[in-house]
Amino acid sequence: MAVKTINTEMLRKMFLAGAANLEAKKEFINELNVFPVPDGDTGTNMTLTIMSAAKEVQALENPDMVSMAKAISSGSLRGARGNSGVILSQLLRGFTKEIREHKEIDTVILARACDRATATAYKAVMKPKEGTILTVAKGISQKAAELAETTDDLEVFLPEVIKYAEQVLAETPDLLPVLKEAGVVDSGGQGLLEVIRGAYDAFLGKEIDYAAIESGSGTKMVKPDQQAETDIKFGYCTEFIIMTDKSFADKDETELKAYLESIGDSIVCVADDDIVKIHVHTNDPGLAIQKALTYGQLSRIKIDNMREEHQEKLIRDAEKIAAQQIQAAEIKKKKEPRKSVGFIAVSIGEGMNEIFRELGIDYIIEGGQTMNPSTDDMLTAIDEVNADHIFILPNNKNIILAANQAQSLTKDKDIIVIPTRTVPQGITAVISYMPEADVDANLEAMQEAVKNVKTGQVTYAVRDTKIDDKVIHEGDIMGIGDQGILSVGQSVEETAKDMLSQLVDEDSELISLYYGQDIKEEDAANFAQTVEELYPDIDVDVHMGGQPIYYYILSVE
């Protein structure tokens, strides 16, 4: 018998199942990021975004379609993190605008909702790029519209839409050369596909593991990376590559997966010719390794203690929360009258934070590369700054959309987002502010100043890949410029020097070096002296940035 409608209760189950499936696949999605940097976090950003909405959906008692739609839209908008999270929130916003007026959803309404979701997301992105999550969303809406004309049976409609979405996702490397070169599909598109796959599982009546969405009273949410240590069932994240001695057939893959499932979870087993990539969470990595050795030689073995990492993260999170509370308390303590102009900056690292404080920034949002702040974080900061006009400096290209979203949600203050893509650009923007000028003049001056800043960042690669015609191996040092990877090497200083040679030109007047938490002050001073000798006609400044992951962040103006 055909199923022709989805009621509120079924939609609730489908949405929560989609969120749970995205959470389960987030690490796999993270690994699809093109740049092999330690902070590739599309899966994490999308998961935290949808989990914010799932929290509100869980809290509903006997919801109708209107309250369900509002919870999904509001929760995802406020919880949106990173570009992928913001786009996902806009897809959900458009989708829920269409369904909220209906008690039940049929194929025609579903097709219209998908179309509105796509249109809303495209509108939110200033320069939409094909080969991304937007392309997958567009494919879904086009196929839904086509099927709605021929069938009213959701059991036919849904699997066909998913099948076509998989096809569109597989074609994303043909639309974005950088994906093809890196050998991956679009990570945001993969995340969207996992959401609808999970939703379809719930539609079919499959048993869903809602471990990441703790029910309790219906109001408590446990973010995936904030679970208590006791909730970490398998303590070691184990990864390696098998170079097979003989053909690795389908039955071999099935056998190996079954064994890994018997000793752990979060299993990824991907075979390609004579190479097999393995990822498993287990309490005994040795068992996984011993089994793998029966198929061939092992390479790229990596074992991380997740419980230890979790404890370190708890400490970092506690320090971050304490700093934010102190900052908020100081602002409230001042009780100064409302001023004309205020500033919010996103920053990471105590040295960077101190520079912004000295420049007069009113509120610093801890975030940036390793954890993109959410729209709600932005709204909290806006609420704390008592000013008529507030400039926001995102200082990361993956945070600009969240800042814009906070701007659109703020009605009682004039929010101006300066689209700074790096911390050095943010510093230059603040320095360029003219107190005697009006807001419009300052907006123009700050944007113009940012154009003159070229930024480079030095970090390490977390996997093998090829990008920008550069062959990169796990552990290599990379120099990343504003438009891509400029330099690859084995030495932090040599890689930074090579990158600098590509950034400096005859008009350059200032080089600023910000050294990270893994660089000693003495080593940074010596490196700055080397740079001064290489460029005697250019001023060189060196500052303690204290940022994680990036050995140096440098700028040329």
Side-chain angles (χ1 to χ4, degrees):
M1 184 175 173
V3 178
K4 296 186 178 182
T5 59
I6 296 171
N7 61 20
T8 303
E9 184 56 33
M10 176 54 74
L11 179 65
R12 184 176 189 270
K13 290 178 180 178
M14 291 175 70
F15 179 73
L16 294 177
N21 194 52
L22 178 60
E23 192 280 332
K25 304 293 175 55
K26 73 177 186 296
E27 290 303 332
F28 167 65
I29 295 166
N30 282 342
E31 291 182 2
L32 293 175
N33 280 277
V34 171
F35 284 136
V37 293
D39 56 353
D41 51 8
T42 299
T44 300
N45 282 338
M46 293 183 74
T47 296
L48 293 177
T49 298
I50 203 168
M51 285 296 182
S52 177
K55 175 182 179 180
E56 296 202 16
V57 170
Q58 281 280 49
L60 295 174
E61 294 183 7
N62 302 316
D64 56 17
M65 198 66 79
V66 174
S67 60
M68 175 79 70
K70 183 178 180 180
I72 293 173
S73 179
S74 173
S76 61
L77 283 173
R78 297 182 70 89
R81 295 176 186 267
N83 292 346
S84 57
V86 171
I87 293 172
L88 177 61
S89 74
Q90 291 295 324
L91 287 168
L92 293 171
R93 180 188 180 202
F95 186 90
T96 54
K97 276 188 175 181
E98 187 64 38
I99 66 167
R100 68 174 62 222
E101 303 303 326
H102 306 278
K103 291 183 178 180
E104 293 189 333
I105 303 169
D106 59 18
T107 58
V108 173
I109 295 169
L110 201 51
R112 289 207 305 262
C114 289
D115 181 66
R116 192 161 182 176
T118 301
T120 303
Y122 266 88
K123 187 177 179 181
V125 180
M126 188 172 295
K127 295 181 180 178
K129 186 179 292 185
E130 297 302 332
T132 66
I133 182 175
L134 293 172
T135 304
V136 178
K138 182 168 65 176
I140 289 170
S141 62
Q142 289 173 341
K143 190 64 175 179
E146 173 190 321
L147 288 167
E149 295 180 356
T150 60
T151 182
D152 61 358
D153 187 352
L154 287 164
E155 291 183 320
V156 173
F157 181 93
L158 293 175
E160 284 299 313
V161 169
I162 293 174
K163 182 179 177 182
Y164 188 71
E166 292 170 343
Q167 179 182 327
V168 174
L169 178 64
E171 293 170 355
T172 54
D174 296 326
L175 298 172
L176 265 185
V178 69
L179 294 175
K180 178 167 281 190
E181 189 177 25
V184 295
V185 296
D186 178 67
S187 54
Q190 183 74 54
L192 179 59
L193 179 60
E194 298 304 340
V195 172
I196 62 174
R197 279 175 173 167
Y200 182 56
D201 283 344
F203 175 82
L204 294 176
K206 293 184 180 179
E207 186 175 340
I208 308 297
D209 180 8
Y210 294 109
I213 308 174
E214 191 169 283
S215 55
S217 62
T219 60
K220 185 178 181 182
M221 168 65 64
V222 179
K223 290 181 179 176
D225 53 359
Q226 290 181 322
Q227 292 175 325
E229 182 179 340
T230 54
D231 290 339
I232 300 178
K233 184 177 180 182
F234 298 104
Y236 296 94
C237 176
T238 306
E239 299 179 25
F240 51 82
I241 290 174
I242 307 172
M243 296 176 288
T244 57
D245 294 332
K246 55 186 178 180
S247 175
F248 191 77
D250 289 344
K251 68 179 186 64
D252 295 314
E253 183 175 345
T254 301
E255 177 192 64
L256 181 54
K257 282 182 177 178
Y259 179 77
L260 294 175
E261 286 172 353
S262 73
I263 64 168
D265 64 7
S266 297
I267 292 152
V268 176
C269 177
V270 181
D272 182 18
D273 296 331
D274 55 351
I275 298 293
V276 182
K277 173 71 181 292
I278 298 296
H279 172 280
V280 59
H281 292 175
T282 178
N283 284 327
D284 193 337
L287 292 176
I289 289 171
Q290 289 174 25
K291 181 66 175 179
L293 283 169
T294 64
Y295 296 97
Q297 300 180 53
L298 303 189
S299 174
R300 306 288 182 187
I301 299 174
K302 181 171 175 282
I303 301 172
D304 294 321
N305 186 330
M306 294 188 294
R307 292 189 179 96
E308 184 179 86
E309 290 177 350
H310 173 75
Q311 287 298 325
E312 292 173 355
K313 185 180 187 306
L314 286 180
I315 293 170
R316 291 196 304 270
D317 287 350
E319 291 173 344
K320 175 182 173 181
I321 291 170
Q324 290 175 337
Q325 290 174 339
I326 291 170
Q327 181 175 221
E330 288 176 347
I331 290 173
K332 291 179 179 178
K333 186 178 179 181
K334 290 179 181 177
K335 292 184 179 178
E336 295 174 349
R338 192 174 179 103
K339 57 183 181 178
S340 176
V341 177
F343 287 89
I344 296 169
V346 179
S347 178
I348 187 69
E350 189 48 47
M352 295 291 198
N353 296 349
E354 187 57 35
I355 291 170
F356 277 121
R357 290 190 190 101
E358 291 174 357
L359 291 172
I361 294 296
D362 296 284
Y363 195 101
I364 294 171
I365 302 175
E366 286 279 351
Q369 292 287 8
T370 53
M371 175 55 76
N372 299 148
S374 67
T375 298
D376 200 42
D377 292 332
M378 296 280 182
L379 292 171
T380 298
I382 290 169
D383 187 55
E384 292 290 350
V385 177
N386 189 22
D388 295 320
H389 311 279
I390 301 176
F391 288 93
I392 296 183
L393 307 167
N395 299 332
N396 185 298
K397 65 180 181 180
N398 209 31
I399 301 174
I400 295 172
L401 281 183
N404 289 338
Q405 192 148 279
Q407 177 189 47
S408 68
L409 293 172
T410 302
K411 305 303 180 186
D412 61 335
K413 297 176 181 177
D414 177 31
I415 307 302
I416 308 101
V417 177
I418 306 294
T420 50
R421 298 162 67 89
T422 64
V423 168
Q425 286 186 354
I427 292 171
T428 296
V430 180
I431 292 173
S432 303
Y433 176 74
M434 302 172 292
E436 70 282 0
D438 61 24
V439 170
D440 291 337
N442 269 304
L443 172 61
E444 183 177 347
M446 294 163 80
Q447 288 179 328
E448 194 61 33
V450 166
K451 292 178 183 177
N452 297 321
V453 181
K454 291 181 282 189
T455 306
Q457 303 177 88
V458 184
T459 186
Y460 58 93
V462 295
R463 67 173 186 273
D464 295 352
T465 189
K466 181 183 178 185
I467 188 169
D468 295 338
D469 293 325
K470 293 179 173 63
V471 177
I472 300 168
H473 299 290
E474 183 180 341
D476 283 352
I477 305 300
M478 301 181 297
I480 305 173
D482 294 322
Q483 304 302 324
I485 296 176
L486 299 178
S487 181
V488 178
Q490 302 299 313
S491 160
V492 170
E493 286 76 15
E494 290 302 317
T495 303
K497 281 165 37 180
D498 183 35
M499 181 172 61
L500 262 177
S501 70
Q502 300 176 61
L503 297 176
V504 172
D505 58 31
E506 58 184 16
D507 297 322
S508 300
E509 298 177 351
L510 172 66
I511 297 174
S512 299
L513 305 174
Y514 304 89
Y515 61 93
Q517 64 181 20
D518 296 323
I519 298 294
K520 296 178 181 177
E521 181 180 0
E522 181 182 357
D523 293 337
N526 290 336
F527 179 58
Q529 183 175 347
T530 299
V531 173
E532 288 177 343
E533 293 170 356
L534 287 171
Y535 305 102
D537 297 327
I538 300 177
D539 292 333
V540 178
D541 287 342
V542 60
H543 308 272
M544 190 279 287
Q547 68 275 4
I549 294 179
Y550 290 82
Y551 302 113
Y552 285 101
I553 295 176
L554 51 89
S555 64
V556 178
E557 302 177 55

